[in-house]
């Protein structure tokens, strides 16, 4: 840095302060790299450090890279640089948030389960007993309702879910790449090749459009009535988050939580643990209407903008079903490419849409499917890979 | 990059501001009434030679600051509007293939068969069509230009990754041509409406700032500057009304740009003060969703209107 109006000993104390502050931010869960510390040092040399609010803005511009971190930063700044202008090292006084404490190790649960006796709380039903005589165990597992599975069967089902691969419903983008059978002429490449033959064009190079999978946005109901299914669905969502790039996952009960980042973690157990840590209303009541409203307002424009497919996983048992619910469903439906409602209640043969909430939601979905066992999840995967409705067909091609 | 920024002042027509206050003054002189925090980060980005990444709701003046900056500093404004599918050939450069082909034929006709000579002739500067990013790296008599990369969230991830090289080294590599490096880095302003999260790797290279809706006094000052003929009473009511609307649970709250639009519309209609009639007729200048407009009828409108016109 060319400008240096600070005395050497001051600069040193300064550096200590900034390094300490960066460490405090890091332990509060913000991603702060060493590069940012160097930036902060050089930035503070070109502004008037006597002006507290300018120092605040300067450090904020360098350390905060997401709007969500602004609040943490503000609190940390106020704690660290007390108003007394006493540039004192106060790392120990910054309270550490929960997540900075020691994490339970990934896979701990699986190890624990492996060590203990499997719990067998379930009493097999007669019908299933009969089936067991004629059909192989695997097929029973395919048809068995998640809610009736024993611990061992759930483990088996989880493994099956992890093995499932989501075929990609392809979106044609407007970007191109070399493709011998493409429709567009690649003049640049053709010309370059022609120079090798002294300007004679022998090979014509072509460009094809790049395809990529459509984004998937999953809204998973984690209220009490869904509790037997949520863990499995989370596993399913974790498996697809792992396999493709643009997947966003939201959980909702009485409020909406974005768990996409948590699910990105490699190990499913670690990911699920971190999901449940970030959700406050696990297995509580349902407020579908309010949750959808929050989603529409805060997230829809950010995650649905590129033609996403929405998976709404819920039983639709809403406590306060009124016209707002229909309104929010309609808005959601209009802002995505395709809205698929997955409802475990559909497992009952004579299911009728009697509940008020379900009646209000049904007109606004493109598809209404059961998801209560492995074969229905498999069917869902097949559906997702099929060509989308005609009015979108120009942009989409099935990978199957 | 910081050393380059410090020397770049040498050949500019207007010197860079020397302090945050000078920056604030410079923006104000061009009719942009910025919060002090925005002036601070802008000043820093100039001094440190870092791109400035501005995020915030639509219509809070993110794009405007690039325009004002280029006008105030006397620099060229180069704008790259992002969209999905934006690729190198429309953002950086493209070869003029038709002209190249003619040149090949001409060489052939003249009996010129030296291949190496031909290829260096063909891939020369004059056959290159320069797009915004390459233009921004070129030296300019008035000093490094202002490069506005607008609504980066609309471009796809692949383009964002491409920007990394340009934004950290201010250079572009062209296979047939070599590397083009800016003698002095341009002033880069990137805006995003957050329709998608921008990757941390890109943000790390920038100074980040969240541009918020202005407070009431500032918005009032903005309205007075941008809509000169408006009466004091009306401008006050307009600002109070808009500020009250932002507290409501709308799908899309009105930005400053909408406030200015609305104030202009009202002053064109010769309105003296806000009445249910005139507000109802012009609400479309403020709210852009039918659902939001429907919600603002009857009692809800009366309530906000009463709030806005209570004093005076």
């Amino acid at each position: 840095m060319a400008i240096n109006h600070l005395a050497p000993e001051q600069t040193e104390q300064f550096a200590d302060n900034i390094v300490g502050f960066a460490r405090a931010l890091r332990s509060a869960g913000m991603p702060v790299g060493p590069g940012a510390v160097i930036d902060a040092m050089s930035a503070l040399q070109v502004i008037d450090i006597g002006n507290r609010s300018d120092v605040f803005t300067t450090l904020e511009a360098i350390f905060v890279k997401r709007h969500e971190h602004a609040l943490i930063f503000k609190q940390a700044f106020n704690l660290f640089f007390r108003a007394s202008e006493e540039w004192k090292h106060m790392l120990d006084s910054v309270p550490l948030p929960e997540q900075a404490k020691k994490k339970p190790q990934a896979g701990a649960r699986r190890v624990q389960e492996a060590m203990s006796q499997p719990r067998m709380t379930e009493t097999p039903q007669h019908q299933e007993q009969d089936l067991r005589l004629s059909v192989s165990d695997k097929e029973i597992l395919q048809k068995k309702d998640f809610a009736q599975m024993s611990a061992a069967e759930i483990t088996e089902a989880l493994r099956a879910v992890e093995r499932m691969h989501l075929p990609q419903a392809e979106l044609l983008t407007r970007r191109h790449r070399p493709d011998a059978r493409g429709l567009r002429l690649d003049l640049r490449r053709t010309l370059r090749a022609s120079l090798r033959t002294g300007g004679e064009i022998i090979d014509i190079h072509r460009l094809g459009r790049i395809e990529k999978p459509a984004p998937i946005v999953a809204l998973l109901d984690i209220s009490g009535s869904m509790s037997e299914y949520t863990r499995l669905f989370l596993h399913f969502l974790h498996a697809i988050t792992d396999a493709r790039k643009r997947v966003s996952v939201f959980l909702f009960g009485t409020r909406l939580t974005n768990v996409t980042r948590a699910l990105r973690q490699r190990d499913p157990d670690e990911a699920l643990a971190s999901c449940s840590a970030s959700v406050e209303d696990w297995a509580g009541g349902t407020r579908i209407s309010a949750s959808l409203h929050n989603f529409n307002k805060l997230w829809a424009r950010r995650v649905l903008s590129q033609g996403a497919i929405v998976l709404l996983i819920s039983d639709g048992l809403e406590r306060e079903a009124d016209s707002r619910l229909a309104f929010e469903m309609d808005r959601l439906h209009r802002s995505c490419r395709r809205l698929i409602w997955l409802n475990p209640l559909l497992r009952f043969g004579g299911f009728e849409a009697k509940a008020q909430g379900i009646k209000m939601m049904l007109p606004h979905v493109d598809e209404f499917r059961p998801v209560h066992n492995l074969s229905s999840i498999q069917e869902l995967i097949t559906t997702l890979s099929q060509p989308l409705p005609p009015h979108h067909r120009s942009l989409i091609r099935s990978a199957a | 990059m910081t050393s380059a920024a410090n020397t770049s002042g040498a050949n500019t027509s207007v010197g860079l501001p020397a302090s945050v206050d000078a920056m604030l003054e410079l923006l104000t002189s061009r009719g942009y009434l910025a919060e002090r925090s925005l002036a601070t980060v802008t000043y820093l980005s100039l001094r440190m030679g870092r791109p400035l990444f501005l995020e915030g709701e639509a219509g809070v003046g993110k794009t405007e600051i690039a325009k004002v900056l280029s006008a105030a500093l006397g620099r060229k404004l180069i704008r790259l509007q992002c969209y999905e599918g934006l690729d190198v050939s429309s953002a950086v450069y493209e070869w003029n293939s038709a002209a190249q082909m003619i040149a090949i034929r001409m060489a052939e006709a003249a009996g010129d068969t030296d291949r190496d000579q031909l290829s260096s002739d063909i891939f020369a500067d004059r056959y290159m069509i320069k797009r915004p990013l390459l233009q921004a790296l070129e030296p300019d008599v008035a000093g490094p230009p202002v490069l506005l990369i607008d609504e980066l969230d609309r471009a796809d991830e692949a383009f964002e990754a491409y920007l990394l090289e340009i934004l950290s080294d201010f250079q572009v590599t062209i296979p047939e041509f070599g590397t083009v490096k800016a003698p002095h880095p341009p002033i880069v302003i990137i805006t995003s409406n957050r329709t998608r999260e921008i990757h941390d790797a890109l943000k790390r290279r920038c100074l980040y700032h969240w541009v918020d809706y202005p407070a009431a006094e500032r918005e009032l000052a903005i309205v007075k500057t941008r809509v000169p003929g408006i009466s004091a009473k009306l401008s006050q009511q307009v600002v109070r009304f808009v500020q009250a609307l932002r507290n409501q649970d709308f799908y899309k709250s009105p930005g400053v740009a909408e406030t200015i639009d609305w104030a202009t519309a009202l002053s064109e209609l010769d309105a003296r003060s806000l009445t249910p009639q005139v507000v109802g007729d012009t609400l479309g200048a403020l709210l852009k969703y039918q659902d939001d407009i429907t919600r603002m009828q009857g009692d809800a409108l009366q309530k906000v209107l009463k709030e806005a016109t209570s004093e005076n």
Side-chain angles (χ1 to χ4, degrees):
Chain A
M1 208 51 223
I3 307 165
N4 205 341
H5 56 249
L6 291 173
E9 66 275 13
Q10 257 179 312
T11 318
E12 203 169 298
Q13 191 198 356
F14 223 65
D16 278 355
N17 275 316
I18 298 303
V19 169
F21 184 52
R23 276 175 58 199
L25 291 178
R26 219 172 286 149
S27 54
M30 279 173 58
V32 173
V37 177
I38 298 168
D39 280 353
M41 284 301 298
S42 42
L44 286 177
Q45 295 186 29
V46 295
I47 63 157
D48 171 20
I49 54 165
N51 187 331
R52 190 178 150 83
S53 78
D54 280 3
V55 172
F56 177 86
T57 318
T58 304
L59 293 181
E60 191 187 31
I62 288 162
F63 289 130
V64 178
K65 301 294 175 194
R66 297 177 155 267
H67 186 46
E68 292 83 17
H69 291 151
L71 198 69
I72 304 178
F73 176 85
K74 194 173 173 190
Q75 286 174 345
F77 183 87
N78 288 336
L79 262 176
F80 202 89
F81 302 110
R82 292 267 166 89
S84 62
E85 302 281 346
E86 197 183 307
W87 302 81
K88 201 165 159 279
H89 198 275
M90 270 187 273
L91 178 60
D92 296 338
S93 64
V94 178
L96 292 182
E98 288 297 305
Q99 52 170 318
K101 288 180 191 157
K102 206 161 178 268
K103 263 192 267 179
Q105 287 200 323
R109 193 194 138 99
R110 273 174 284 165
V111 176
Q112 211 174 2
E113 276 184 355
M115 297 296 189
S116 63
Q117 290 283 344
R119 282 177 303 149
M120 298 292 283
T121 48
E122 163 252 21
T123 43
Q125 292 177 357
H126 285 296
Q127 197 192 3
E128 282 158 0
Q129 283 287 12
D130 294 340
L131 276 171
R132 239 167 251 248
L133 299 172
S134 54
V135 198
S136 76
D137 278 1
K138 207 172 170 186
E139 274 175 71
I140 300 171
L141 197 64
Q142 288 286 325
K143 298 278 176 233
K144 196 161 187 178
D145 195 304
F146 292 140
Q148 297 170 343
M149 282 181 177
S150 70
E153 282 167 330
I154 286 185
T155 319
E156 188 55 41
L158 287 182
R159 253 184 239 140
V161 162
E162 275 164 36
R163 278 195 302 269
M164 284 178 185
H165 287 292
L166 195 68
Q168 325 253 323
E170 303 289 354
L171 274 179
L172 281 175
T173 66
R174 285 179 187 81
R175 298 176 76 91
H176 292 81
R177 60 148 177 247
D179 178 358
R181 290 188 295 169
L183 294 174
R184 220 160 105 162
L185 192 63
D186 188 349
L187 267 178
R188 180 176 161 193
R189 212 169 288 270
T190 307
L191 206 73
R192 209 155 56 169
S194 81
L195 283 177
R196 250 172 267 141
T197 53
E200 210 55 62
I201 294 175
I202 293 172
D203 287 325
I204 294 201
H205 291 256
R206 291 175 178 281
L207 288 172
R209 283 162 85 168
I210 296 178
E211 293 169 359
K212 64 179 178 184
I216 288 184
V217 175
L219 300 169
L220 174 59
D221 186 342
I222 50 163
S223 58
S225 54
M226 290 282 292
S227 61
E228 282 140 330
Y229 300 96
T230 42
R231 198 178 156 78
L232 257 150
F233 289 144
L234 268 176
H235 261 279
F236 169 66
L237 293 173
H238 179 264
I240 58 174
T241 313
D242 220 26
R244 54 197 282 166
K245 259 193 178 167
R246 296 186 294 168
V247 181
S248 317
V249 180
F250 295 82
L251 304 182
F252 69 93
T254 50
R255 56 158 82 204
L256 185 80
T257 322
N258 183 354
V259 294
T260 311
R261 283 210 161 202
L263 273 186
R264 281 268 150 72
Q265 297 174 21
R266 285 283 164 66
D267 188 275
D269 273 342
E270 196 178 327
L272 295 198
S274 126
C275 274
S276 52
S278 58
V279 172
E280 285 169 26
D281 55 340
W282 204 271
T286 331
R287 284 169 63 216
I288 303 180
S289 165
S291 304
L292 287 182
H293 174 73
N294 274 338
F295 177 80
N296 284 334
K297 193 167 172 232
L298 299 175
W299 293 99
R301 268 188 287 243
R302 288 155 71 181
V303 296
L304 299 182
S305 59
Q306 287 159 331
I309 298 170
V310 174
L311 301 178
L312 174 64
I313 309 172
S314 168
D315 52 15
L317 298 178
E318 165 73 312
R319 273 192 310 198
E320 30 196 57
D322 54 15
S323 60
R324 293 296 297 170
L325 179 58
F327 174 81
E328 298 297 346
M329 275 301 283
D330 181 41
R331 163 141 278 165
L332 178 64
H333 186 209
R334 278 187 287 134
S335 47
C336 66
R337 179 184 304 278
R338 196 175 185 208
L339 177 54
I340 302 175
W341 183 6
L342 306 172
N343 190 339
L345 284 184
L346 275 192
R347 70 184 182 275
F348 302 117
F351 174 83
E352 275 176 66
K354 276 196 187 129
Q356 191 64 22
I358 297 178
K359 267 195 215 165
M360 296 206 150
M361 288 161 77
L362 260 186
H364 304 291
V365 297
D366 293 314
E367 215 174 307
F368 190 45
R369 306 180 60 86
V371 266
H372 57 286
N373 57 22
L374 284 179
S375 63
S376 56
I377 288 194
Q378 191 64 60
E379 276 167 35
L380 165 69
I381 290 179
T382 320
T383 317
L384 283 179
S385 66
Q386 271 158 16
L388 294 181
H391 63 285
H392 294 309
R393 197 160 280 162
S394 58
L395 268 179
I396 293 151
R397 186 191 293 167
S398 162
Chain B
M1 70 261 115
T2 42
S3 56
N6 290 331
T7 53
S8 69
N11 63 343
T12 55
S13 54
V14 178
L16 299 181
S19 68
V20 177
D21 294 297
M23 185 79 232
L24 207 51
E25 229 166 80
L26 187 79
L27 294 176
T28 311
S29 72
R30 292 281 164 166
Y32 190 98
L33 307 178
E35 301 277 344
R36 190 179 171 86
S37 57
L38 180 58
T40 308
V41 289
T42 314
Y43 166 72
L44 276 175
S45 101
L46 292 186
R47 288 305 299 264
M48 298 170 72
R50 281 296 179 92
L52 179 57
F53 190 103
L54 297 177
E55 221 169 30
E57 299 297 333
V60 288
K62 302 187 294 295
T63 304
E64 193 65 22
I65 194 156
K67 294 183 186 165
V68 168
L69 212 53
S70 91
L73 296 176
R75 309 290 179 86
K76 194 161 84 178
L77 176 69
I78 296 173
R79 179 173 180 162
L80 176 68
Q81 173 67 50
C82 297
Y83 55 88
E84 205 184 345
L86 180 64
D87 56 6
V88 173
S89 63
S90 37
V92 192
Y93 72 99
E94 198 169 15
W95 290 106
N96 187 348
S97 304
Q100 283 175 322
M101 238 169 268
I102 292 169
I104 292 176
R105 290 290 162 241
M106 298 280 277
E108 257 179 8
D112 211 345
T113 50
D114 183 358
R115 280 189 215 172
D116 291 338
Q117 184 60 43
L118 186 61
S119 85
S120 68
D121 282 351
I122 290 300
F123 292 112
D125 200 52
R126 66 195 155 120
Y127 294 114
M128 189 186 278
I129 303 168
K130 288 169 184 150
R131 303 292 190 201
L133 288 183
L134 195 55
Q135 286 170 21
L137 298 183
E138 298 207 308
D140 193 283
V141 278
V146 176
L147 170 64
L148 168 64
I149 302 178
D150 212 11
E151 304 190 2
L152 180 62
D153 49 331
R154 285 169 182 269
D156 34 32
E157 291 90 344
F159 180 73
E160 208 181 298
Y162 184 84
L163 271 185
L164 292 179
E165 183 195 355
I166 297 186
L167 292 186
S168 51
D169 301 331
F170 298 104
Q171 65 176 38
V172 170
T173 308
I174 300 167
E176 302 91 346
F177 196 75
T179 302
V180 178
K181 191 169 167 58
H184 301 294
I187 298 166
V188 184
I189 311 249
I190 304 174
T191 75
S192 159
N193 288 335
R194 277 225 299 183
T195 61
R196 165 174 86 74
E197 285 306 339
I198 302 298
H199 200 278
D200 293 350
L202 191 120
K203 287 183 175 178
R204 234 184 50 221
R205 287 161 170 80
C206 309
L207 294 175
Y208 173 88
H209 186 69
W210 174 264
V211 187
D212 227 330
Y213 295 120
E217 312 89 73
R218 190 168 307 275
E219 192 161 24
L220 188 60
I222 293 172
V223 168
K224 281 180 176 158
T225 323
R226 299 297 296 269
V227 192
I230 196 165
S231 76
K233 184 180 164 196
L234 182 61
S235 57
Q236 204 154 36
Q237 289 185 349
V238 162
V239 169
R240 271 209 216 119
F241 189 88
V242 172
Q243 296 260 338
L245 279 196
R246 289 199 192 117
N247 293 332
Q248 307 259 328
D249 196 14
F250 282 128
Y251 192 57
K252 170 75 187 83
S253 287
V256 186
E258 277 81 25
T259 312
I260 296 172
D261 277 355
W262 194 44
T264 315
L266 291 174
S267 101
E268 286 292 323
L269 292 174
D270 285 333
R272 292 295 166 85
S273 71
L274 297 183
T275 60
Q277 176 68 36
V278 76
V279 172
D281 290 347
T282 52
L283 211 52
L286 275 185
L287 300 174
K288 309 290 170 157
Y289 283 86
Q290 178 56 29
D291 304 328
D292 289 347
I293 294 179
T294 320
R295 282 188 59 197
M296 269 314 286
Q297 264 150 12
D299 291 349
L301 178 67
Q302 289 292 350
K303 199 165 154 269
V304 179
L305 202 55
K306 210 171 147 196
E307 222 174 284
T309 53
S310 58
E311 292 155 52
N312 292 12

